[in-house]
Each structure stands twice: as structure tokens, then as C-alpha cells.
Amino acid sequence: MSNETSSRSVVVIGDALIDEIHDHAGVRELVGGAALNVAVGLRRLGIDTTLIAMVGEDEAGGHIREYLSDHAVRVIASDAPLGSSRAIVRRAANGEPEYVFNEAARQRSIRYSDEARAAIADAGLVAISCFPFDAAAEVDALVDALADARVAVDPNPRLGMLRDRVEFVRGFERIAASAAIVKVGADDAAVLYDGDLDALRGRLREIGAAAVLATAGAAGATLDTDAGIVSAPITPLAGDVIDTVGAGDATLAAVAAGLVSDSPTARDEWRVLLLRAMDIAAATCRAEGGLLRTPESSADAQRGVRGS
């Protein structure tokens, strides 16, 4: 897979689902999924975006399609014989979300039509998130569809969907080894490896990833590239942190947008890209849900509030 850029469009491959949220306010439904969040986030950053995901011909699928249409994201849907994916989300005692996935989500599958392959071939970048890397047939089909595409990948394993950790790592590293950038977080290191995020960053660079973005929550993030290593803290913004769920997806969207817009090569260029990604992640955390926000859009939303 090549690291050459052909256009400013991005194709995102992965999950799209309904989050059924249970909390003190009752039960409500939000359109979500890591890949969907990345796709919508990219579009909000001005990038033409296509999402390739499994979406059912059911009421939930209708909501997913409508949401993507509202955000001007093109969707190429794979068949969903078990209907659309759904996650029941509750907060654990420590405040972190816990997910229970339906059978459609656990058995998710993506196949690549001629339309999907054409979109991939035309894209400047293909971003992959929350993909079933532990299904060898799915990885084989993905590799075939990608051909020589420039790739960004986030393993984003979900315990409720993870069937075989060893196979998942094998499939993920098969893609990561020739990726333009790999995003991994502390949770990924804990679920898939031994929990050492710095060691995981080194391993991914060693097997061939051109760049690795390692995110460590409140500790910020590090970008490891051929130009050098740069780190950045979480950006301090006004307002309370409401929901951290979409922060990783927003970070990946911000970095992917920077790769197709600016193609950084020098260390200072990577630093600028990382700082912008931290700005966007911080803004996204100041509202519920996975919808990407920027510091500018958050400021606009607050105009007229408290005399602003």
C-alpha cells in the first residue's frame, strides 16, 4: 500500500450503529460508531468523505442514513442480513461507558462493490476504524479492496465484539505494517498487547508503519514519524469535560484531514498537526456524543451565553 496522495477525499471503512444510551436521564438513541464518527468529523473539517459500512434496511438503518445525509457524508452500505448494529451503553461505577452489542454488530461484515472499490481507488486516504480484524476473511477482502491505497488505521477493539485477540492483532498488524499512519490509544495497548503504549508505538514503527499516533487520554499524545517524535498535552479549554467517548475518533479525523490537506513531512509540520488534533479532541469532549467539535465551533455555540 502506497503513501502517495491522489486527492483530498477520504474513504472511511468500519462500523456504523445506534448507541442506545441508558443513564439517569432515561433511555435515548444516538447514531454512532467509531468509523461513522470519523467520517462525519472529516466532513465537518471540510473533507469530501465516503463511509463504507454495514447498514441495515430497517428503521435503525434509516436513522443512520439520514444522519449521514444531514452531514453530507456519502455512504456505501454493505448488506446487513441481521439488521443494523446496535450498542446498549451504560456507565460503569468509574464513569466509563460499558457496551453490550447486538448480534448484527458481533457478526458485522463488509464486502466491497464496484462502487466501493472505485471510491477507494480515487481517495487520497482510506481510514479504517473498528474493523473486525479477528475475521481472516474480512481482512483478506479488505487487503484486496485497498490495493495500493494510502491508509490510516485505528484498531479500536471493542471487548463486546472481540472474538479472538491473537487473530485480531495479526489482522491489525497486517494492515498497520504498510500504513501511512496508525493511531493507537492506551485502551488498545491494554486490550491487545501488554499495556505499554510506548512499546506498542515502537513495535508498530518497527513493523513498517510510516507514522504512529499514540494517544494517552489526559496525558496527551505522541506522534512518531521519520521526521522525529513530537508530543503534546491535552489542550485546556473553557467549560467542563462532558463526554470523552468521541475524543479518539475526533483525533483520528483531525489527523486524517491534515494528511490529505497538507501532507506533513517536517517535524514542525507534524507538531502543528498534532496540536490541532488536541484542540479538536478537547472541544469534542465538551459536548455529549461523538460529533466532532472544534474550538471555533464551540465558541460559536456559546455566543450570547453569559454575555459573550
Side-chain angles (χ1 to χ4, degrees), residues 31 46 49 67 70 79 100 121 186 189 207 213 256-257:
V31 174
T49 308
Y67 181 85
D70 287 346
D79 290 341
V100 176
I207 67 172
L213 170 63

Side-chain angles (χ1 to χ4, degrees), residues 135-159:
E138 296 291 327
V139 179
D140 288 342
L142 174 64
V143 169
D144 182 66
L146 288 174
D148 62 351
R150 187 184 192 217
V151 170
V153 60
D154 181 353
N156 216 336
R158 306 286 183 152
L159 287 175

Side-chain angles (χ1 to χ4, degrees), residues 96-237:
E96 291 298 312
E98 293 182 333
Y99 298 86
V100 176
F101 295 94
N102 69 355
E103 189 66 13
R106 293 194 298 271
Q107 300 297 328
R108 68 199 190 285
S109 177
I110 299 175
R111 288 296 176 263
Y112 305 92
S113 63
D114 290 344
E115 182 185 15
R117 289 173 182 272
I120 290 169
D122 289 342
L125 185 73
V126 179
I128 304 157
S129 182
C130 206
F131 187 86
F133 286 112
D134 51 358
E138 296 291 327
V139 179
D140 288 342
L142 174 64
V143 169
D144 182 66
L146 288 174
D148 62 351
R150 187 184 192 217
V151 170
V153 60
D154 181 353
N156 216 336
R158 306 286 183 152
L159 287 175
M161 292 191 283
L162 185 63
R163 291 169 291 187
D164 186 326
R165 185 186 65 81
V166 172
E167 188 62 32
F168 191 102
V169 169
R170 183 181 294 114
F172 161 60
E173 291 192 353
R174 186 176 171 191
I175 303 300
S178 54
I181 191 163
V182 182
K183 176 196 167 292
V184 287
D187 289 348
D188 303 324
V191 171
L192 298 176
Y193 295 87
D194 61 2
D196 188 331
L197 183 58
D198 287 337
L200 174 55
R201 171 166 57 85
R203 172 173 175 76
L204 292 170
R205 287 281 285 148
E206 186 176 90
I207 67 172
V212 177
L213 170 63
T215 60
T222 297
L223 255 172
D224 189 336
T225 76
D226 288 343
I229 298 173
V230 295
S231 297
I234 289 292
T235 303
L237 294 179

Side-chain angles (χ1 to χ4, degrees), residues 299 302-308:
Q302 290 299 316
R303 284 205 177 104
V305 179
R306 300 187 182 91
S308 63

